[in-house]
Amino acid sequence: MLVRTRAAGLLAAPLLLTGILLTGCTDPAPRRPAPDEVIKAATQRLTDTCLIRQGLTPPQPGQSPPPTAEQQRVTAALFGTGPAELSITLPTGYVVRAHTDGCLAAAQQRLYGDQRRWFRASVIVNNLTPEAEHTHRSLADVRARHRAEIADWRRLRAHALTGATDLLDNRPPTGDPRP
């Protein structure tokens, strides 16, 4: 009788151990979204909420486009209207402009803390390679020349990531669409 109990215990131990190992293998760790994905999702939530507050329907992928007049109202609300208040001329000769009104500007202000600084830093940082090609300099040289803008871009982006994470982790109470 004692032998059977030991044998049963010896057979059960490897099965139990195997079950634990298999269970541990089937539960993969959740993937953390990339910082750009987090900021993009928060920006989307802020702009959608802004449009909804104005009685407009945010554009959705795969959705049929609204009538032209509605599309123009959404575009104006999203990107702003009138003359662009922000402008920077790049070494390539291109001029980049943006509005300080509109839902996107409001989202950038909220996430980055300073839309004007973010606009300037992001336009410069996003155009380092074209500047290097246009000026016939190495990318390392161009980066060295824009060290301050790159540092500012990193600080503002870190600020945005913190704000975006907070926004996405802390959903508003039911019935309150405000982020």
Side-chain angles (χ1 to χ4, degrees):
M1 189 104 160
L2 186 59
V3 173
R4 274 189 194 165
T5 305
R6 279 190 204 170
L10 289 174
L11 289 175
L15 293 175
L16 180 61
L17 183 57
T18 303
I20 291 171
L21 290 174
L22 288 176
T23 300
C25 292
T26 59
D27 293 336
R31 181 184 77 83
R32 291 183 61 108
D36 287 342
E37 293 174 8
V38 173
I39 293 170
K40 182 178 178 180
T43 301
Q44 185 74 52
R45 178 177 295 172
L46 289 169
T47 56
D48 285 357
T49 301
C50 176
L51 290 170
I52 291 167
R53 278 192 200 132
Q54 295 180 46
L56 300 167
T57 303
Q60 300 296 321
Q63 184 182 40
S64 298
T68 304
E70 174 75 3
Q71 213 169 4
Q72 288 172 343
R73 284 192 298 276
V74 169
T75 299
L78 188 57
F79 298 111
T81 59
E85 300 87 357
L86 303 176
S87 178
I88 186 168
T89 301
L90 298 170
T92 58
Y94 288 101
V95 177
V96 181
R97 293 181 176 91
H99 291 277
T100 57
D101 63 334
C103 295
L104 181 58
Q108 289 173 342
Q109 180 64 39
R110 174 150 179 207
L111 291 174
Y112 296 98
D114 187 331
Q115 187 213 8
R116 290 178 188 278
R117 277 182 49 215
W118 173 249
F119 170 76
R120 185 179 191 299
S122 66
V123 169
I124 290 170
V125 168
N126 289 333
N127 285 281
L128 294 175
T129 300
E131 180 179 337
E133 291 169 0
H134 181 77
T135 60
H136 306 291
R137 295 181 181 185
S138 71
L139 186 54
D141 182 42
V142 171
R143 283 186 176 141
R145 292 182 67 229
H146 291 291
R147 193 171 291 125
E149 289 89 352
I150 293 170
D152 205 25
W153 181 90
R154 286 183 177 141
R155 278 190 299 276
L156 291 163
R157 189 170 176 278
H159 184 273
L161 182 58
T162 299
T165 301
D166 289 347
L167 175 72
L168 296 173
D169 286 348
N170 299 311
R171 292 203 173 264
T174 306
D176 185 0
R178 287 176 275 145

